């Protein structure tokens, strides 16, 4: 029998705290999961804002494996699911490659990226991480090892990408990688007078850019949503190789002494960010490819906001509803200080419970209090009535009825296929039980 450790788990947004069980295994001894009469759930770095990888009376399973093989001819990497995106991206860059999609935190694991079907600044061009996953090797205690792809066990493959760990432990995956044309990213920016203007900017031409995203100040009542839109392109010059140091974006437990600095920091950050970018509006910046995705600048923000008990709401608003949404947002967010508003541009299609679709992807951060909880409910209702996709792994406060209404047939199809695949539902988590998945 392999040792089980008691662990205190806390969601990334600090909303959920539980004590449960954890075990660490590798591909050679993972079959010992058959010995445990407990619900199971895979666990990576535990960075989902809602608690996806733990649960009451659930055994969280961490994988310890080390496969990393690049096939340069096929432009693929065969990689163990416990590898973190930061460390594996550094390895890929050394050989002139990178993943197509990189989220903002270097400690997200390959398994987590697949299970949440994550996205990054390149959502406008490359979509979500799962689009580049060619094959997946899973382990399920009642089914053994399963290999799945679009051609083989395709239903399991579709349920695993953006399936939040419900189909089993991802052991490894074959993932498409891109040849880097340069080691540097060039960024231009444009000023935006208000949030509504994004509707006129949104178009298919954004696909020519390596990344497009915008930042907005929702606390300026005169110019609601003023900000900047950033356009990233690969540099024409390849650039020089240099030693890449790990970025210091902490995943440690929050320090609740920091919570008292949140609003002071938030106001100072937003003011500085606006004025700095206004002063450097015409300046073209060049940044190393790795650091442009995994910036140390996020460290303090995450530390303070985790400590302050923050929430995030992230949705994809169809372009034909954007004007109506902006009016709703301006009216209903007045009583809340918004620490962060970032938009990206999505051109995908809906599938099961994934955060994908076409429109403007908008993320809002604020601390948890009565006013923000009331706003969260109003926003959920707005999304429910208009079938606006909401990001499940970023939201600890949404309820099952809202998710069912928003995702509709995709929700029921996912649950029915999951029950067909595993009627005993070996894998479950705090989140899956809460949302009746």
């Amino acid at each position: 029998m392999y040792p089980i450790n008691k662990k205190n788990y806390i969601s990334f947004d600090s909303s959920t705290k539980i004590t449960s069980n954890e075990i660490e295994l590798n591909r050679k001894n993972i079959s010992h999961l058959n010995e445990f009469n407990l619900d199971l759930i895979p666990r990576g770095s535990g960075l989902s804002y809602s608690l996806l990888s733990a649960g009451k009376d659930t055994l969280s399973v961490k994988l310890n494996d080390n496969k990393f093989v690049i096939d340069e001819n096929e432009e693929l990497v065969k990689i163990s699911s416990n590898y973190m995106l930061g460390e594996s991206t550094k390895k890929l860059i050394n050989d002139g490659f990178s993943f197509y999609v990189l989220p903002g935190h270097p400690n997200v694991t390959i398994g987590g990226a697949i299970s949440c079907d994550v996205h990054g600044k390149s959502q406008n061009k490359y979509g979500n991480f799962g689009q580049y996953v060619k094959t997946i090797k899973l382990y399920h205690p009642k089914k053994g090892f399963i290999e799945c792809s679009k051609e083989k066990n395709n239903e399991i493959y579709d349920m695993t990408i953006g399936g939040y760990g419900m189909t089993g432990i991802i052991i490894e995956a074959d993932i498409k990688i891109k040849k880097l044309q340069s080691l540097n990213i060039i960024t231009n920016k444009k000023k935006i007078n208000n949030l509504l203007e994004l509707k006129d900017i949104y178009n298919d031409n954004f696909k020519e850019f390596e990344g497009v995203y915008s930042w907005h100040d929702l606390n300026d009542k005169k110019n609601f949503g003023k900000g900047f839109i950033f356009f990233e392109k690969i540099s024409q010059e390849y650039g020089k190789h240099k030693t890449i140091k790990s970025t210091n974006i902490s995943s440690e437990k929050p320090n609740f002494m920091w919570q008292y600095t949140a609003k002071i920091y938030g106001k100072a950050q937003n003011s500085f960010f606006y004025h700095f970018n206004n002063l450097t509006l015409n300046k073209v910046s060049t940044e190393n490819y790795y650091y442009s995705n995994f910036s140390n600048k996020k460290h303090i923000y995450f530390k303070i906001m985790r400590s302050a008990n923050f929430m995030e709401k992230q949705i994809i608003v169809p372009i034909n509803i954007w004007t109506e949404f902006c009016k709703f947002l301006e009216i209903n967010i007045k009583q809340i200080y918004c620490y962060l508003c970032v938009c990206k541009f999505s051109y995908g299609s809906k599938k099961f419970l994934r955060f994908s679709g076409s429109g403007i992807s908008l993320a809002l951060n604020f601390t948890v209090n009565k006013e923000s909880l009331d706003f969260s409910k109003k926003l959920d209702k707005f999304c429910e009535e208009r079938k606006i996709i909401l990001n499940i792994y970023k939201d600890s406060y949404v309820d099952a009825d809202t998710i069912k209404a928003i995702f509709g047939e995709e929700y029921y199809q996912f649950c029915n296929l999951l029950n067909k695949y595993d009627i005993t539902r070996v894998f479950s988590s705090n989140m899956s039980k809460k949302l009746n998945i």
Side-chain angles (χ1 to χ4, degrees):
M1 181 73 75
Y2 289 83
I4 295 178
N5 301 308
K6 281 286 182 183
K7 292 278 187 176
N8 295 317
Y9 294 112
I10 182 167
S11 60
F12 194 71
D13 65 5
S14 304
S15 65
T16 310
K17 306 172 184 68
I18 63 169
T19 300
S20 195
N21 309 294
E22 182 174 292
I23 191 170
E24 185 172 304
L25 299 169
N26 58 47
R27 72 175 67 213
K28 292 181 179 179
N29 59 24
I30 200 164
S31 60
H32 288 280
L33 287 177
N34 295 315
E35 301 170 7
F36 302 103
N37 188 26
L38 287 167
D39 287 345
L40 304 173
I41 195 70
R43 184 170 177 84
S45 297
L47 294 175
S48 57
Y49 289 38
S50 56
L51 197 55
L52 300 181
S53 56
K56 186 178 179 182
D57 300 321
T58 297
L59 179 61
S60 294
V61 183
K62 289 183 75 74
L63 186 72
N64 184 358
D65 204 60
N66 60 0
K67 178 167 281 189
F68 187 97
V69 180
I70 297 174
D71 185 329
E72 294 191 11
N73 293 326
E74 294 294 326
E75 297 191 350
L76 284 173
V77 60
K78 186 180 288 291
I79 186 169
S80 298
S81 68
N82 55 293
Y83 260 101
M84 295 181 186
L85 282 169
E87 62 177 320
S88 50
T89 298
K90 284 192 287 185
K91 284 174 172 281
L92 288 173
I93 288 174
N94 287 336
D95 287 292
F97 290 94
S98 179
F99 295 106
Y100 280 89
V101 175
L102 290 170
H105 204 299
N107 293 355
V108 174
T109 62
I110 294 295
I114 296 171
S115 297
C116 291
D117 192 24
V118 298
H119 62 276
K121 294 185 295 181
S122 61
Q123 198 172 10
N124 58 292
K125 185 171 185 175
Y126 298 122
N128 289 18
F129 194 87
Q131 293 171 226
Y132 305 95
V133 177
K134 190 171 182 181
T135 61
I136 302 170
K137 188 173 185 179
L138 289 168
Y139 179 79
H140 189 290
K142 295 191 175 181
K143 298 175 182 293
F145 290 98
I146 304 168
E147 188 171 295
C148 56
S149 65
K150 289 181 181 179
E151 294 77 31
K152 182 180 180 181
N153 294 318
N154 64 304
E155 285 187 348
I156 302 172
Y157 171 85
D158 284 338
M159 286 189 292
T160 301
I161 296 173
Y164 308 112
M166 298 292 101
T167 58
I169 310 296
I170 298 175
I171 303 299
E172 65 180 49
D174 289 358
I175 301 171
K176 297 176 186 176
I177 52 178
K178 63 178 179 178
K179 189 74 176 174
L180 284 179
Q181 303 303 312
S182 172
L183 296 175
N184 292 321
I185 291 286
I186 294 175
T187 305
N188 291 275
K189 56 196 166 193
K190 176 183 176 182
K191 195 171 183 179
I192 295 177
N193 295 314
N194 55 64
L195 194 63
L196 187 59
E197 282 188 9
L198 285 185
K199 179 181 179 181
D200 299 323
I201 296 172
Y202 179 91
N203 62 67
D204 284 346
N205 292 334
F206 281 170
K207 294 180 182 179
E208 71 180 81
F209 294 100
E210 194 71 11
V212 179
Y213 53 96
S214 59
W215 172 93
H216 304 271
D217 184 356
L218 301 189
N219 306 298
D220 188 319
K221 307 309 176 187
K222 292 182 180 179
N223 301 290
F224 182 74
K226 69 179 184 182
F228 304 90
I229 184 166
F230 301 87
F231 303 92
E232 292 187 345
K233 278 192 171 184
I234 295 290
S235 172
Q236 295 298 311
E237 297 180 0
Y238 190 79
K240 295 180 180 179
H241 278 280
K242 66 179 188 179
T243 302
I244 298 173
K245 298 179 181 178
S246 296
T247 45
N248 185 27
I249 304 178
S250 174
S251 301
E252 65 192 33
K253 293 179 182 178
N255 178 349
F256 292 98
M257 292 301 293
W258 284 77
Q259 64 183 295
Y260 304 107
T261 67
K263 195 159 189 177
I264 297 171
Y265 170 78
K267 286 185 174 181
Q269 172 195 253
N270 284 333
S271 177
F272 174 80
F273 192 84
Y274 180 82
H275 289 296
F276 173 79
N277 282 289
N278 199 35
L279 286 170
T280 59
L281 189 60
N282 298 317
K283 183 179 179 181
V284 178
S285 63
T286 301
E287 193 172 16
N288 175 269
Y289 179 87
Y290 180 88
Y291 295 120
S292 74
N293 287 285
F294 302 125
S295 171
N296 272 319
K297 298 172 186 175
K298 300 174 185 177
H299 173 61
I300 296 177
Y301 179 80
F302 279 135
K303 189 174 184 69
I304 290 178
M305 294 308 289
R306 286 200 77 192
S307 301
N309 192 14
F310 79 109
M311 68 158 67
E312 177 161 326
K313 306 292 287 191
Q314 187 172 39
I315 60 178
I316 298 175
V317 183
I319 201 68
N320 64 313
I321 304 176
W322 185 249
T323 300
E324 181 188 4
F325 170 74
C326 288
K327 290 177 181 177
F328 162 84
L329 189 62
E330 186 171 8
I331 292 169
N332 289 284
I333 206 170
K334 288 180 178 179
Q335 303 303 315
I336 306 167
Y337 188 82
C338 182
Y339 289 83
L340 184 69
C341 174
V342 173
C343 294
K344 300 167 189 171
F345 302 87
S346 178
Y347 304 93
S349 57
K350 297 178 182 178
K351 182 70 175 180
F352 294 153
L353 304 182
R354 301 173 192 172
F355 184 66
S356 62
S358 288
I360 297 175
S361 170
L362 173 137
L364 303 171
N365 282 190
F366 28 79
T367 52
V368 178
N369 52 43
K370 181 183 181 301
E371 289 76 20
S372 60
L373 289 171
D374 288 344
F375 169 75
S376 177
K377 290 177 182 177
K378 290 178 183 178
L379 180 58
D380 287 348
K381 187 67 175 176
F382 184 90
C383 293
E384 183 179 323
E385 291 171 350
R386 294 156 184 82
K387 301 295 185 288
I388 295 173
I389 294 298
L390 178 151
N391 193 339
I392 290 174
Y393 67 83
K394 289 280 189 80
D395 198 328
S396 291
Y397 297 89
V398 67
D399 59 34
D401 289 339
T402 299
I403 292 299
K404 290 175 184 177
I406 285 174
F407 287 90
E409 184 60 34
E410 295 292 336
Y411 171 91
Y412 293 104
Q413 188 180 1
F414 177 79
C415 291
N416 289 338
L417 285 172
L418 198 56
N419 287 329
K420 175 185 169 184
Y421 166 70
D422 179 13
I423 192 63
T424 59
R425 298 300 300 276
V426 171
F427 291 89
S428 67
S429 68
N430 180 76
M431 182 278 294
S432 70
K433 291 174 181 175
K434 176 187 169 188
L435 300 183
N436 297 329
I437 296 174

